[in-house]
Amino acid sequence: MSIEFSKEIEHDYPFMNNQDIHSHSLRERIHFMSRFFAQPHAVGSIWPSSRYLGRAMLQNIFLKEGDVVVEYGPGTGPFTAQLRPYLAKGVRYLGIERDDRLYETLQSRFPEMKFHHGSAEEVSSLLEHYKLPQASLIISGLPFANMSPDLQQGILEATSKALSADGVFRTFTYLFSGLSPRSAHFQKIAAQFFQKMKSDEFVLLNLPPAKVMSFSKKEIKNY
Ligand SMILES: C[S@@+](CC[C@H](N)C(=O)[O-])C[C@H]1O[C@@H](n2cnc3c(N)ncnc32)[C@H](O)[C@@H]1O
């Protein structure tokens, strides 16, 4: 493992400045908002995630050449933009986005990255399809708190198959939805497949404020 995310990311790549990594143009925000109004339940948020949430999602993650990163629900790509520089270091990326318009936006914003138009439930068959090994990191932007128990179960089961033995599955929930019955159900099912790696991290500088959760398939020491 040779790469540390989030601390060095802005210095490692002189061809990208901070604005490239963090910027979310007004047009992208409006596009995201329009997708929320088209499918509020599936999109789950009116506004894309902030850079602060992006940093928390990638904090203390170490990746090396050949590792695979999967992103669920990239939306307009706030986390994708922070992952992009690592392609140059030989990290392989697959984004899975269900919304057709957001999928098209991702393809034009990140032409060098691989996206699949479909559901995160398909993740393990997609890794096979693209001849990729299990993922070292699965980053989720999915609105689990809005999903049916069956869909939660399907995605978590597929995630457990797709994640390597020492991989990290990281997701977030909005603070207000974290108290809902579906969110409680998500945490209950997640505990069947994973264990929490550390205490949850709260990110108040996001609209709405969020909580980041990290899971692994086995105990990882010295994390
Ligand atoms: C809350 S938004 C997060 C977008 C982005 N990651 C961010 O943080 O700004 C949720 C995203 O997940 C996508 N999504 C919802 N259900 C999905 C599923 N089953 N598989 C893949 N993507 C899904 C939505 O279309 C939307 O882009």
Side-chain angles (χ1 to χ4, degrees):
M1 298 280 176
S2 58
I3 299 171
E4 183 173 350
F5 271 82
S6 73
K7 286 187 190 140
E8 290 162 19
I9 194 162
E10 288 148 31
H11 309 295
D12 264 7
Y13 294 87
F15 56 88
M16 294 186 76
N17 59 33
N18 291 358
Q19 222 180 346
D20 289 324
I21 292 173
H22 297 306
S23 77
H24 238 99
S25 69
L26 187 61
R27 213 170 55 163
E28 279 160 16
R29 287 174 200 266
I30 290 169
H31 178 48
F32 188 87
M33 205 189 283
S34 75
R35 298 317 297 152
F36 170 77
F37 286 118
Q39 303 206 53
H41 228 65
V43 172
S45 152
I46 195 166
W47 212 237
S49 296
S50 70
R51 73 182 69 168
Y52 306 99
L53 181 53
R55 281 187 188 146
M57 289 293 282
L58 297 176
Q59 207 168 34
N60 296 329
I61 295 288
F62 299 90
L63 293 171
K64 63 179 189 317
E65 185 178 354
D67 281 347
V68 171
V69 176
V70 176
E71 183 179 5
Y72 297 162
T76 47
F79 308 156
T80 322
Q82 296 198 29
L83 287 164
R84 172 163 58 184
Y86 290 95
L87 262 59
K89 299 231 175 187
V91 170
R92 292 169 288 175
Y93 171 92
L94 174 65
I96 307 174
E97 174 53 60
R98 203 175 87 163
D99 185 276
D100 53 351
R101 302 278 177 79
L102 292 172
Y103 165 71
E104 283 165 17
T105 304
L106 289 162
Q107 284 188 305
S108 58
R109 188 174 174 204
F110 306 100
E112 71 280 45
M113 297 175 91
K114 177 85 206 148
F115 296 98
H116 175 82
H117 178 219
S119 174
E121 273 175 299
E122 302 167 61
V123 62
S124 67
S125 55
L126 287 174
L127 289 182
E128 260 177 55
H129 175 78
Y130 291 114
K131 302 194 178 358
L132 292 170
Q134 285 176 308
S136 307
L137 174 64
I138 299 183
I139 287 281
S140 168
L142 299 180
F144 280 112
N146 291 354
M147 289 180 182
S148 69
D150 281 354
L151 186 54
Q152 292 178 346
Q153 172 91 23
I155 293 175
L156 288 171
E157 203 170 320
T159 300
S160 132
K161 283 188 198 148
L163 192 68
S164 67
D166 58 354
V168 177
F169 169 48
R170 195 167 275 180
T171 187
F172 71 85
T173 185
Y174 299 118
L175 288 189
F176 66 79
S177 55
L179 303 169
S180 70
R182 287 199 168 168
S183 182
H185 191 264
F186 166 78
Q187 308 221 22
K188 196 171 132 199
I189 309 182
Q192 290 168 13
F193 293 101
F194 305 102
Q195 54 196 8
K196 280 264 182 88
M197 292 177 67
K198 58 173 192 157
S199 47
D200 302 337
E201 186 168 340
F202 295 90
V203 181
L204 300 181
L205 293 175
N206 191 69
L207 201 63
K211 179 174 83 167
V212 174
M213 296 171 283
S214 300
F215 299 95
S216 68
K217 293 211 292 194
K218 63 171 196 189
E219 183 131 23
I220 296 179
K221 299 210 165 62
N222 305 322
Y223 176 73

